């Protein structure tokens, strides 16, 4: 187990390093971006502009600005927002991260659970009409962007059938449609992956041996096939989380969800540098933590990795 | 004569493919007695594995048993429903597979994999089944079994994994054990260990074994009887002594001639030229004729019947017909013959007689 602790510490070190690189890249990208938060304030005199720049530290040399920013960012101090009456960026993000996290986790769970179910069903009935049907659904799910699903769900389930609220964020009922819209892509990805993986495993020697033991079809699927197909699925969770985070930016806007995604979009539109950078860094950090967790889980559930360190 | 446990009668199996019907098994007859080891020998695609998959009820979905019967202890296995087959599989008929590196589930503890047939067939409690699994691991010679019962397959060497596969096959005391090339994927030194283990267990349990191999060298030390298969048919069958020392079919000659022995001098190993026929359209006459330098005119026209040389020895070749010209088998085979005839002078006295294929089956 000490091997595991060493591994996690090493990975955390790498995460810190990556974070510094990301902070640097976002900082300089931001400096390269055209426009300025003061661009619209044309009526400012030069003196007024200098006062404001001094107030935000924008008059200092670039390298000093950069150093200050890195040091502060690593302590989760991303400065104050330009647009929201000088509220600290960390407070703004903290207020809004709840709905985003809930939506992301719900969509991931929905996608994986239903994806495994559909994929397994297709694999067991491989080369039948049901399998083909499920494959078509999966291809549609992967190729149609989540905002199309969002609009369709809002129109049919929300407006026509009037079963669920169209937008807003006032309880679990409000989370269902965005969860489905956002979860379609991970569901389709997982279904396709599980189907391929299971068909592969079903052709393996150890499944033939399991059949030669006289095990029933369902025992073979549950104890041997599914189990061996699920392990590699864990590696997909990382990329899925990336998709969910970027997808949620759009979905939050469509369903009027008070999450960081919607706020991120408006911060870009208003050149709110501190908020853009803060959100970017928080996104990257969440992603790296998800990747770390999936790697640890992978090691825990696959005996071949667990013991060979 | 001891009790007959398995009888395969006039078995014909086709595989439906996009290109047409592949006639994988064509009119195969053999039987297996209690405690006996029968070797099925032949090159890849000769139908050895398909025959045994049919016995296990594990044929691919596109396979069809066109006709014939497989009787296990008097019970017909052809057309048996899946549920009844499951009762037999892993319990009364068990199987050892070729490649121990891939035939174990990589994510399941080996103790559980060994215990699984017992839990399935005997409704045994998990604890009891694990206890039996431990005994079995000791029996197949896994050192320090107690410490390893919770290990996973990747923690074992190839030879140890094959012992585990054998333990799985034997845990429910099957009456028939099908060993599908159990030593092919192993080092030569490990091969000998695994064969010794199988012989030892057979002596203790009285299990009948069908031993599939393409290696005649392995057969000599294992089998009581041998059936040589070619292109979906048994071309020659007899006791080990008869097949090794008095072979009659040119294909058997070819196999023996391509196998090194302690007497083989440098550069005398002879491969059999050519490749097996396409079983989509099997040849009209003897399937081996195109590769056979002893082929007669009639081989292209008509399939040879079985000629009987002894109560146990049959060969399907026109060379044994009374009208056939005398041919000189390869030198190594001539040497074998000379020794055999010296020990059994009576064999030269009788002319082999053509018989119905079903004569292969003993009463």
């Amino acid at each position: 187990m000490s091997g595991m602790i060493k591994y996690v510490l090493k990975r955390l070190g790498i995460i810190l390093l990556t974070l510094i690189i990301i902070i640097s890249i976002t900082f300089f990208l931001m400096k390269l971006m055209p426009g300025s938060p003061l661009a619209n304030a044309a009526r400012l005199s030069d003196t007024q502009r200098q006062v404001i720049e001094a107030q935000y530290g924008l008059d200092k040399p670039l390298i000093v600005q950069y150093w200050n920013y890195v040091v502060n960012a690593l302590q989760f101090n991303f400065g104050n927002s330009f647009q929201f009456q000088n509220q600290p960026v960390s407070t703004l993000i903290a207020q809004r991260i709840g709905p985003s996290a809930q939506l992301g986790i719900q969509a991931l769970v929905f996608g994986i659970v239903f994806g495994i179910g559909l994929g397994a069903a297709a694999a067991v009935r491989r080369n039948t009409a049901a399998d083909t049907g499920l494959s078509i659904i999966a291809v549609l799910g992967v190729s149609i962007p989540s905002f199309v699903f969002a609009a369709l769900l809002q129109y049919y389930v929300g407006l026509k059938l009037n079963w669920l609220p169209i937008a807003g964020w006032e309880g679990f009922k409000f989370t269902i449609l965005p969860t489905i819209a956002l979860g379609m892509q991970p569901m389709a990805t997982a279904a396709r992956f599980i189907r391929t993986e299971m068909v592969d495993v079903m052709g393996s020697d150890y499944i033939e041996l399991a059949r030669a033991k006289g095990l029933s079809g369902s025992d073979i699927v549950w104890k041997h096939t599914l189990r061996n197909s699920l392990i590699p699925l864990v590696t997909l969770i990382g990329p899925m989380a990336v998709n969910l985070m970027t997808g949620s930016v759009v979905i939050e806007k469509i369903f009027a969800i008070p999450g960081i995604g919607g706020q991120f979009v408006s911060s870009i539109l208003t050149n709110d540098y501190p908020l853009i950078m803060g959100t970017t860094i928080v996104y990257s950090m969440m992603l790296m933590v998800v990747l770390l967790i999936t790697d640890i889980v992978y090691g825990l559930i696959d005996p071949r990795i667990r013991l060979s360190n | 004569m001891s009790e007959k446990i398995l009888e395969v009668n006039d078995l014909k199996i086709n595989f439906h493919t996009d290109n047409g019907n592949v006639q994988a098994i064509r009119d195969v007859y053999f039987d297996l007695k209690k405690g006996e080891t029968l070797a099925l020998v032949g090159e890849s695609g000769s139908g050895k594995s398909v025959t045994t998959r049919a016995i296990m009820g594990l044929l691919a979905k596109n396979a069809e048993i066109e006709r014939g019967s497989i009787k296990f202890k008097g019970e017909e296995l052809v057309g048996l429903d899946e549920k009844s087959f499951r009762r037999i599989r892993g319990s009364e008929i068990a199987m050892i597979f070729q490649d121990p590196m891939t035939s174990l589930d990589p994510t399941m503890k080996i103790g559980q994999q060994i215990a699984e047939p017992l839990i399935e067939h005997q409704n045994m409690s998990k604890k009891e089944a694990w206890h039996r699994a431990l005994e079995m691991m000791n029996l197949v010679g896994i050192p320090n079994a107690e410490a390893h019962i919770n290990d996973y397959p990747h923690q074992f060497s190839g030879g140890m994994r094959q012992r585990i596969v054998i333990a799985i096959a034997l845990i429910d005391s099957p009456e028939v054990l099908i060993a599908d090339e159990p030593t092919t994927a192993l080092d030569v030194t490990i091969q000998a260990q695994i064969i010794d283990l199988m012989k030892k267990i057979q002596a203790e349990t009285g299990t009948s074994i069908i031993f599939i191999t393409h290696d005649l060298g392995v057969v000599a030390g294992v089998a009581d009887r041998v059936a040589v298969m070619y292109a979906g048919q048994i071309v020659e069958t007899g006791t080990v002594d008869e097949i090794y020392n008095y072979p009659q079919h040119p294909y058997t000659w070819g196999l023996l001639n391509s196998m090194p022995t302690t007497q083989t001098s440098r550069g005398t190993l002879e491969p059999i030229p050519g490749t097996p026929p396409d079983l989509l359209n099997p040849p009209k006459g003897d399937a081996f004729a195109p590769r056979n330098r002893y082929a007669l005119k009639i081989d292209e026209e008509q399939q040879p019947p079985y000629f009987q040389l002894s109560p146990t020895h049959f060969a399907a070749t026109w060379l044994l017909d009374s009208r056939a010209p005398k041919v000189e088998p390869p030198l190594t085979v001539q040497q074998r013959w000379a020794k055999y005839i010296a020990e059994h002078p009576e064999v030269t006295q009788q002319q082999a007689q053509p018989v119905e294929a079903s004569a292969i089956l003993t009463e």
Side-chain angles (χ1 to χ4, degrees):
Chain A
M1 233 42 231
S2 72
M4 181 63 107
I5 293 167
K6 239 168 97 184
Y7 171 76
V8 172
L9 286 178
K10 196 174 134 201
R11 284 290 301 269
L12 286 173
I14 294 172
I15 287 182
L16 188 69
L17 206 69
T18 318
L19 212 52
I20 292 173
I21 294 170
I22 290 172
I23 293 171
S24 312
I25 293 173
T26 32
F27 178 85
F28 288 109
L29 271 181
M30 218 47 56
K31 287 290 166 192
L32 288 172
M33 236 169 51
S36 134
L38 306 180
N40 292 334
R43 282 166 298 167
L44 288 178
S45 70
D46 282 353
T47 328
Q48 283 169 318
R49 187 184 299 267
Q50 278 160 12
V51 170
I52 294 172
E53 280 182 353
Q55 190 185 339
Y56 287 104
L58 293 173
D59 55 338
K60 298 201 175 71
L62 194 61
I63 192 74
V64 178
Q65 289 185 36
Y66 168 65
W67 175 252
N68 288 339
Y69 191 78
V70 172
V71 171
N72 285 322
L74 288 177
Q75 304 165 46
F76 293 102
N77 176 8
F78 304 109
N80 290 344
S81 162
F82 290 166
Q83 56 171 334
F84 295 107
Q85 285 134 26
N86 291 336
Q87 288 189 60
V89 166
S90 47
T91 314
L92 285 171
I93 292 176
Q95 280 168 357
R96 292 210 163 205
I97 202 161
S100 294
Q102 188 190 346
L103 180 61
I105 291 167
Q106 277 184 203
L108 193 64
V109 171
F110 164 82
I112 288 174
V113 169
F114 282 86
I116 290 172
L118 287 177
V124 172
R125 292 169 186 75
R126 65 187 175 286
N127 303 328
T128 65
D131 178 24
T132 315
L134 287 168
S135 297
I136 292 171
I137 294 176
V139 171
L140 288 178
V142 172
S143 43
I144 296 177
S146 53
F147 59 81
V148 175
F149 284 119
L152 290 174
L153 286 169
Q154 280 179 324
Y155 183 70
Y156 287 104
V157 185
L159 195 66
K160 286 269 170 157
L161 298 169
N162 204 13
W163 284 351
L164 289 165
I166 294 173
W169 195 259
E170 293 149 42
F172 181 71
K173 250 169 66 177
F174 288 81
T175 70
I176 296 174
L177 289 188
T179 298
I180 295 174
L182 192 57
M184 281 308 269
Q185 200 137 15
M187 182 188 82
T189 312
R192 285 205 317 170
F193 184 85
I194 282 289
R195 188 209 172 263
T196 316
E197 200 67 30
M198 275 184 72
V199 168
D200 215 39
V201 170
M202 282 191 271
S204 68
D205 290 349
Y206 58 86
I207 294 301
E208 195 177 17
L209 180 71
R211 294 178 69 202
K213 284 176 180 176
L215 299 187
S216 68
S218 62
D219 268 3
I220 291 173
V221 169
W222 287 110
K223 290 190 184 159
H224 293 282
T225 316
L226 199 55
R227 190 188 166 112
N228 277 287
S229 312
L230 285 182
I231 290 173
L233 181 71
V234 175
T235 52
L236 267 193
I237 293 177
M240 273 183 191
V242 181
N243 267 332
L244 287 181
M245 283 178 192
T246 49
S248 72
V249 172
V250 182
I251 292 293
E252 283 178 17
K253 202 82 188 158
I254 294 176
F255 286 97
I257 296 166
I260 47 174
Q263 183 176 266
F264 191 35
V265 174
S266 63
S267 68
I268 293 170
L269 295 175
T270 54
N271 276 330
D272 190 347
Y273 297 161
L275 192 50
I276 299 175
M277 295 201 277
T279 315
T280 310
I281 290 158
V282 169
Y283 266 139
S284 0
M285 216 164 58
M286 289 196 303
L287 188 59
M288 286 190 288
V289 170
V290 169
L291 290 176
L292 175 62
I293 291 172
T294 53
D295 280 353
I296 294 172
V297 170
Y298 197 62
L300 285 179
I301 61 173
D302 190 336
R304 285 163 295 189
I305 293 178
R306 190 195 311 163
L307 287 141
S308 54
N309 272 322
Chain B
M1 185 142 298
S2 70
E3 186 191 338
K4 186 188 284 191
I5 195 153
L6 189 75
E7 180 179 285
V8 174
N9 195 329
D10 196 20
L11 191 65
K12 186 159 169 52
I13 300 175
N14 298 327
F15 283 87
H16 302 296
T17 69
D18 291 341
N19 300 324
N21 271 354
V22 176
Q23 304 177 27
I25 299 293
R26 307 185 293 147
D27 319 319
V28 162
Y29 296 78
F30 67 84
D31 54 16
L32 182 70
K33 293 177 202 71
K34 206 166 167 45
E36 177 188 46
T37 300
L38 171 72
L40 287 183
V41 185
E43 58 200 284
S44 313
S46 60
K48 305 164 298 197
S49 293
V50 176
T51 309
T52 54
R53 293 302 189 281
I55 296 170
M56 293 290 284
L58 290 177
L59 284 171
K61 278 204 181 95
N62 63 337
E64 179 215 359
I65 299 184
E66 189 185 311
R67 64 159 189 266
S69 99
I70 301 169
K71 282 213 169 73
F72 171 66
K73 293 197 296 183
E75 185 182 3
E76 179 59 59
L77 298 186
V78 173
L80 194 68
D81 62 289
E82 173 65 16
K83 211 174 154 203
S84 312
F85 244 132
R86 268 179 38 215
R87 179 173 46 77
I88 294 172
R89 259 184 236 144
S91 175
E92 296 183 85
I93 306 179
M95 191 152 177
I96 302 172
F97 292 86
Q98 177 170 351
D99 189 354
M101 303 311 276
T102 56
S103 47
L104 293 169
D105 186 333
T107 59
M108 191 183 269
K109 291 173 179 170
I110 59 140
Q112 196 179 345
Q113 298 197 47
I114 297 173
E116 238 178 357
L118 282 182
I119 297 167
E120 176 72 27
H121 295 290
Q122 306 297 340
N123 268 329
M124 207 176 262
S125 73
K126 202 177 166 191
K127 206 177 149 196
E128 211 179 332
W130 274 64
H131 185 70
R132 286 285 313 282
L134 194 61
E135 285 175 11
M136 210 63 221
M137 287 169 72
N138 284 317
L139 178 72
V140 298
I142 294 169
N144 205 1
E146 198 132 6
H148 293 299
I149 193 163
N150 280 319
D151 284 358
Y152 290 88
H154 70 273
Q155 293 163 278
F156 294 89
S157 67
M160 281 300 145
R161 288 194 208 189
Q162 196 60 306
R163 288 170 192 267
I164 295 167
V165 173
I166 292 174
I168 292 173
L170 292 174
I171 192 153
D172 203 12
S173 320
E175 289 172 79
V176 175
L177 178 64
I178 297 171
D180 190 354
E181 309 229 12
T183 58
T184 307
L186 300 173
D187 293 342
V188 181
T189 47
I190 311 290
Q191 281 184 11
Q193 290 177 16
I194 293 293
I195 285 174
D196 285 347
L197 172 66
M198 289 179 63
K199 278 160 65 176
K200 179 188 128 202
I201 287 170
Q202 186 179 34
E204 282 173 27
T205 61
T207 305
S208 313
I209 299 179
I210 298 178
F211 195 100
I212 301 180
T213 181
H214 61 266
D215 184 354
L216 264 180
V218 172
V219 171
V222 188
D224 301 307
R225 284 193 303 136
V226 182
V228 180
M229 290 193 76
Y230 185 77
Q233 291 173 319
I234 291 176
V235 293
E236 183 164 8
T237 178
T239 63
V240 167
D241 195 23
E242 286 163 342
I243 297 294
Y244 269 74
N245 297 320
Y246 200 50
Q248 299 297 323
H249 198 285
Y251 181 63
T252 317
W253 296 348
L255 285 182
L256 286 169
N257 211 22
S258 59
M259 175 188 91
T261 66
T262 45
Q263 275 97 42
T264 308
S265 45
R266 279 180 80 91
T268 54
L269 279 187
E270 259 188 67
I272 304 174
T275 52
D278 179 7
L279 292 178
L280 267 175
N281 304 296
K284 186 165 78 169
D286 184 349
F288 187 57
R291 300 171 72 185
N292 181 5
R293 66 180 148 114
Y294 305 99
L296 306 172
K297 186 97 185 134
I298 190 169
D299 277 325
E300 279 154 36
E301 300 299 322
Q302 200 183 337
Q303 279 198 29
Y306 284 105
F307 288 86
Q308 181 164 21
L309 292 113
S310 82
T312 47
H313 192 184
F314 300 82
T317 168
W318 283 117
L319 292 178
L320 288 171
D321 192 273
S322 54
R323 292 156 290 179
K326 280 271 164 280
V327 298
E328 295 260 294
L331 191 66
T332 52
V333 173
Q334 285 183 36
Q335 291 161 354
R336 289 167 187 268
W337 275 18
K339 232 175 92 196
Y340 188 83
I341 291 169
E343 286 165 24
H344 308 268
E346 74 282 359
V347 294
T348 51
Q349 305 303 312
Q350 330 141 348
Q351 171 69 44
Q353 292 303 320
V355 291
E356 290 288 314
S358 57
I360 290 179
L361 304 172
T362 48
E363 286 310 311

